[in-house]
Amino acid sequence: MLDVVFPVRVSSDRLDVLDRIGYFLLDSDMPSRDEISFTVADDGSPEPEANEIRVRCEELGVKYIRIDSELRSFSAGRARNYAAQRLTGKYILFQDVDLMPYPGFYRDLIDEIEVQELDKYADRFVMVGVIYLSDDASREYRLDSSSKKKSKYIQRFLEFSPTVVEKFSTGTSVVVWRRDHYLCTGGHDEEFECWGYEDLEYNCRAIRRNRVFPFPEQFNLDLRGFSNIYEYRGWKSIYRLFGDITFHKGIVMFHSWHPVSTNSEYQKKRAFNKSLFEKKLAAFASAGEEPPYLPIASRGKTLAFRDNIWTLNRWTGPFFGEIVVVDESKIEPDSFIEYLTSNGFDRVLFFNPYANDQLLSLYFMVRKSGYSYFVCERGALRDSIFIDPCGFNADSKSYSPENWNHEIDSLKRERTISYIANEKSNPDSLERQGVYRTGSKLRKKLGLGSGRKVLFVPLQRPSDTVIKYFCGNIESFDNFIELVKSLVERLPPDWDVVVKRHPLETVTPDIPGAVFADDENIKSLIELSDAILLINSGVGVLGLLYEKPVLVAGNAFYCHDKLALSVENVEEIVHGISSFSPDRETVLRFFSYLVNDFYSFGEFKTKEVDWEDGSKMTATIDIGYYIVRLPGYPELVMERAKSPRVVANSILFDRYKDVDGKMVSQKSQNVAALVG
């Protein structure tokens, strides 16, 4: 659904706004109310006028929401944000009440959402240009009911009849957003009050976030107006291109004339807001500074135990409502559920619920009670994150075969196969790895004889949560090492055991007869291997990606029939390496579930830090999500193009070219880079 929001503040000297609220009805070919909804967001109108707005909205069948902000200056951004947090449509359009649609405008706009693929990429948006009509033309437009209405007034615009058209702009605030993406990116900055610039600032952030067009020189420069800029220089030159797209298609709104008082407080704030805009434009470009995310009001309250990038991230934060961070040591497990209910919490958000005994007690209490919770942690694939409402790794029902072991459609199959192929060609993994080597080069470097088979044993960190709590029958890391020692002596004579220490560990266990490959690339070793033995490491998932037999000595979330083999002793291992292999279709179904349905994905910014026991660990300091998957919400996919999607040979750039077809700017342009 598309939510259309009219931000207003009505005063006794501007009661004409009440009539303007109904301008949307000039679209006589309206989509159904299942497809579109209209809302007035009232930013602090005095109570008498607010009551008049309520009555008017009831007459028009329009929703009405009000902010108690009468004692503050009007803020269109605050009104827009407030509405976005409370409405439920997938898409949202902010429309000033002075704007008039043509018959079929909203239907065209809904079509444009699909055409420009906002349903696919949440960081795209649709901008609509505006033609400003004169006083007389505005009245005539409202009275005109002919089917040729839009064409007639666009014709007057093209002729630029001075008695009909005052000006035009294709760089406007009339923009359709994905509501979830709008909330994640903090919406309009509420530091802007009174006259404008809040829309320009937010739109410029959106332009920089996803490279639809090549960036012009001197992006922060404010050069001329939107209607008369002919050099590809400064932010207006790229900004207006988004409105040009729809303008070329005849999708436009018409501005109804009204008097403007240049002495009003609203206008006096213009110079201040312009200066504020310039500062914020530079701050976002240089350091990514922007307002915090906006929580979805209907999501209530979430209790979290860690103030880190996993629990307080702008790309997931809105979906958890108001997040309150508490110290787990101050909560008694036996009274935890009472504490949650009495304080109005709707759910609990865990990072690693096994991090300490106190957290674990609270985690078990929440699970036992049936209280809603989520666990957010790093997944087993590169760039992956799980936001799991059912548990943590092996204790979670999310990995049960009923969730993934079913026929997959052709599109998901194609995506999964493509993912696997791309991942195999990428030497990077979860942890820092050595140089990738082909199987023959690695075999030679490790001194492995020709034709000999390899059982690869990737070691885990003895202090890891999954070792402490999910070792299963093997019980401990030390017991696993003893198992590997016994195995070296009892494997068939044509097998070698190759061991890799965890990249963050400094001590290599003594395993006589094993070949150690501590500094080698994990994917090189998996390719070289004929089978893999581990406790429950995420390396097992990579092993499945290469269709290797994976033997699991502990409890692993991927240890299911036809995927991996559970083993407890040397005999089962020796039998397994000769008799077990994963089923390709089952592997594809499992990976399809992880890649297409369950895992979120993001770019991790990490650093190595010292841990309590003196060892090293990888700390995640930022996650730039590009796919967010959270139960109950459409997936949030960001395009974040690295290079321009629309280049300078597009007709949209014609206004910026000289007679020789070269881009015009004050400085010389790298035309080749613009053309692509």
Side-chain angles (χ1 to χ4, degrees):
M1 174 187 279
L2 172 64
D3 281 313
V4 181
V5 175
F6 306 114
V8 303
R9 175 177 288 185
V10 177
S11 57
S12 58
D13 60 342
R14 282 300 309 273
L15 291 176
D16 60 312
V17 173
L18 295 173
D19 291 328
R20 294 169 187 265
I21 292 171
Y23 282 175
F24 73 94
L25 293 174
L26 292 170
D27 183 351
S28 55
D29 185 20
M30 188 78 69
S32 72
R33 289 304 175 98
D34 291 333
E35 299 175 89
I36 193 166
S37 175
F38 297 89
T39 299
V40 166
D42 182 356
D43 185 48
S45 295
E47 196 58 42
E49 285 77 15
N51 286 330
E52 292 192 55
I53 303 173
R54 287 190 189 94
V55 172
R56 177 64 171 153
C57 287
E58 288 178 7
E59 294 171 352
L60 296 169
V62 170
K63 297 177 185 176
Y64 175 77
I65 54 178
R66 181 178 183 273
I67 308 172
D68 185 14
S69 53
E70 183 179 355
L71 300 181
R72 300 179 63 183
S73 297
F74 172 67
S75 169
R78 181 168 57 233
R80 293 167 183 149
N81 291 348
Y82 189 82
Q85 290 176 269
R86 285 156 180 80
L87 297 176
T88 59
K90 186 175 182 179
Y91 308 99
I92 193 163
L93 166 68
F94 301 117
Q95 179 184 324
D96 291 346
V97 292
D98 302 325
L99 298 178
M100 303 181 292
Y102 57 81
F105 168 76
Y106 294 110
R107 194 177 297 280
D108 286 346
L109 205 56
I110 289 173
D111 289 344
E112 198 65 14
I113 288 171
E114 182 178 345
V115 169
Q116 294 201 35
E117 297 188 304
L118 272 69
D119 55 332
K120 184 176 180 182
Y121 299 112
D123 51 350
R124 292 190 182 183
F125 57 91
V126 176
M127 184 180 291
V128 177
V130 174
I131 296 173
Y132 291 76
L133 301 181
S134 66
D135 188 9
D136 289 340
S138 297
R139 285 194 294 270
E140 291 171 2
Y141 184 91
R142 291 193 294 273
L143 295 172
D144 191 338
S145 60
S146 72
S147 60
K148 303 178 180 64
K149 179 177 181 174
K150 179 181 80 167
S151 181
K152 182 171 75 174
Y153 283 88
I154 290 179
Q155 181 70 27
R156 297 294 182 268
F157 156 72
L158 294 172
E159 297 170 354
F160 224 87
S161 304
T163 59
V164 177
V165 176
E166 291 188 337
K167 61 179 180 177
F168 81 98
S169 178
T170 56
T172 74
S173 64
V174 187
V175 182
V176 178
W177 305 100
R178 271 278 295 262
R179 190 175 68 93
D180 46 12
H181 188 266
Y182 178 85
L183 296 173
C184 289
T185 52
H188 288 91
D189 195 318
E190 295 179 22
E191 284 190 55
F192 292 92
E193 292 186 328
C194 297
W195 196 92
Y197 280 98
E198 79 290 329
D199 53 337
L200 302 178
E201 191 274 334
Y202 181 72
N203 294 357
C204 283
R205 273 189 272 144
I207 290 168
R208 293 198 72 100
R209 212 182 285 277
N210 188 4
R211 293 198 66 184
V212 176
F213 302 105
F215 287 159
E217 288 184 355
Q218 299 173 276
F219 188 97
N220 292 358
L221 179 67
D222 188 347
L223 182 67
R224 300 193 181 89
F226 284 117
S227 61
N228 60 1
I229 184 168
Y230 299 102
E231 303 170 33
Y232 200 58
R233 192 160 58 95
W235 60 269
K236 286 182 180 176
S237 64
I238 187 173
Y239 190 119
R240 66 157 294 156
L241 292 177
F242 291 88
D244 286 345
I245 293 173
T246 50
F247 212 74
H248 275 284
K249 301 179 183 183
I251 302 173
V252 65
M253 297 204 82
F254 298 91
H255 181 271
S256 178
W257 183 92
H258 61 82
V260 176
S261 172
T262 56
N263 294 321
S264 68
E265 178 195 5
Y266 193 68
Q267 290 292 331
K268 286 179 180 179
K269 202 69 181 284
R270 176 176 181 176
F272 174 84
N273 283 353
K274 184 176 188 294
S275 175
L276 184 63
F277 164 73
E278 290 168 350
K279 292 176 182 177
K280 290 183 178 294
L281 190 68
F284 182 73
S286 62
E289 292 183 16
E290 60 184 328
Y293 66 81
L294 299 167
I296 297 172
S298 63
R299 293 294 287 169
K301 288 173 65 177
T302 298
L303 183 143
F305 298 105
R306 291 290 182 273
D307 184 354
N308 63 21
I309 202 63
W310 300 92
T311 55
L312 291 178
N313 187 296
R314 72 166 56 252
W315 300 108
T316 59
F319 308 104
F320 294 112
E322 177 191 358
I323 299 178
V324 180
V325 180
V326 301
D327 183 347
E328 69 267 15
S329 66
K330 297 180 180 179
I331 300 177
E332 289 294 330
D334 291 342
S335 60
F336 185 36
I337 303 305
E338 181 183 350
Y339 172 80
L340 292 173
T341 55
S342 62
N343 286 277
F345 286 104
D346 297 278
R347 68 196 65 81
V348 181
L349 178 59
F350 293 95
F351 166 47
N352 178 355
Y354 290 83
N356 58 55
D357 291 341
Q358 176 72 357
L359 266 179
L360 191 57
S361 296
L362 298 175
Y363 175 61
F364 286 156
M365 189 63 66
V366 167
R367 298 191 77 182
K368 181 180 178 182
S369 71
Y371 217 91
S372 177
Y373 72 94
F374 288 88
V375 179
C376 184
E377 246 276 27
R378 188 174 73 167
L381 298 175
R382 189 172 54 86
D383 284 2
S384 68
I385 308 105
F386 59 79
I387 308 172
D388 194 339
C390 298
F392 178 81
N393 282 333
D395 77 17
S396 174
K397 296 179 181 178
S398 294
Y399 304 99
S400 297
E402 59 263 27
N403 292 325
W404 55 266
N405 197 8
H406 47 72
E407 189 173 345
I408 53 179
D409 61 40
S410 58
L411 179 59
K412 286 187 175 181
R413 181 178 295 274
E414 181 181 337
R415 287 176 178 171
T416 305
I417 292 173
S418 176
Y419 177 88
I420 291 173
N422 289 336
E423 197 60 28
K424 285 181 177 179
S425 67
N426 190 328
D428 294 336
S429 190
L430 294 181
E431 304 290 352
R432 187 180 301 170
Q433 298 295 327
V435 176
Y436 174 83
R437 306 177 199 277
T438 61
S440 58
K441 289 183 178 180
L442 183 57
R443 181 178 289 273
K444 182 178 180 180
K445 185 174 186 292
L446 296 178
L448 302 174
S450 176
R452 294 185 63 77
K453 295 180 180 179
V454 172
L455 176 63
F456 175 42
V457 182
L459 298 182
Q460 294 167 251
R461 308 198 70 191
S463 60
D464 269 358
T465 295
V466 291
I467 295 297
K468 186 175 180 181
Y469 294 100
F470 299 114
C471 268
N473 290 332
I474 199 68
E475 294 183 345
S476 70
F477 179 83
D478 290 341
N479 287 349
F480 180 72
I481 296 300
E482 292 303 316
L483 175 66
V484 177
K485 288 180 180 179
S486 300
L487 186 62
V488 171
E489 301 296 326
R490 297 175 60 182
L491 275 179
D494 58 339
W495 280 79
D496 288 313
V497 175
V498 175
V499 178
K500 177 178 170 63
R501 183 187 66 216
H502 191 280
L504 294 177
E505 287 296 305
T506 57
V507 178
T508 301
D510 181 28
I511 306 177
V515 177
F516 280 86
D518 294 341
D519 298 325
E520 300 303 323
N521 188 288
I522 194 75
K523 290 184 177 178
S524 296
L525 290 165
I526 291 173
E527 284 186 17
L528 177 67
S529 69
D530 295 280
I532 300 170
L533 172 67
L534 37 70
I535 301 176
N536 50 26
S537 169
V539 175
V541 177
L542 285 181
L544 294 176
L545 186 143
Y546 285 87
E547 297 183 73
K548 302 291 183 176
V550 175
L551 282 59
V552 180
N555 295 331
F557 67 89
Y558 51 83
C559 193
H560 297 288
D561 187 37
K562 297 184 180 181
L563 271 184
L565 182 67
S566 178
V567 293
E568 295 186 9
N569 51 52
V570 171
E571 289 74 20
E572 290 181 352
I573 295 169
V574 171
H575 181 260
I577 60 176
S578 62
S579 63
F580 175 76
S581 61
D583 174 68
R584 172 173 290 186
E585 179 62 22
T586 305
V587 169
L588 283 176
R589 290 179 179 185
F590 185 68
F591 270 93
S592 175
Y593 173 67
L594 296 181
V595 172
N596 297 311
D597 301 314
F598 184 63
Y599 274 166
S600 298
F601 290 89
E603 295 176 347
F604 288 63
K605 185 177 181 181
T606 63
K607 66 177 181 179
E608 238 178 56
V609 297
D610 295 325
W611 197 228
E612 298 168 352
D613 59 3
S615 64
K616 298 287 186 182
M617 71 167 290
T618 300
T620 302
I621 58 177
D622 193 22
I623 306 172
Y625 280 85
Y626 52 87
I627 300 177
V628 178
R629 295 190 176 111
L630 200 146
Y633 288 89
E635 68 176 12
L636 185 71
V637 179
M638 273 69 78
E639 183 178 30
R640 289 192 188 158
K642 302 298 183 184
S643 58
R645 178 163 48 86
V646 182
V647 293
N649 50 7
S650 164
I651 191 175
L652 295 169
F653 286 94
D654 282 358
R655 66 166 29 244
Y656 300 125
K657 295 176 182 177
D658 62 19
V659 292
D660 296 319
K662 294 181 179 179
M663 298 291 287
V664 177
S665 69
Q666 189 175 25
K667 298 181 180 179
S668 61
Q669 290 276 6
N670 184 346
V671 179
L674 290 169
V675 173

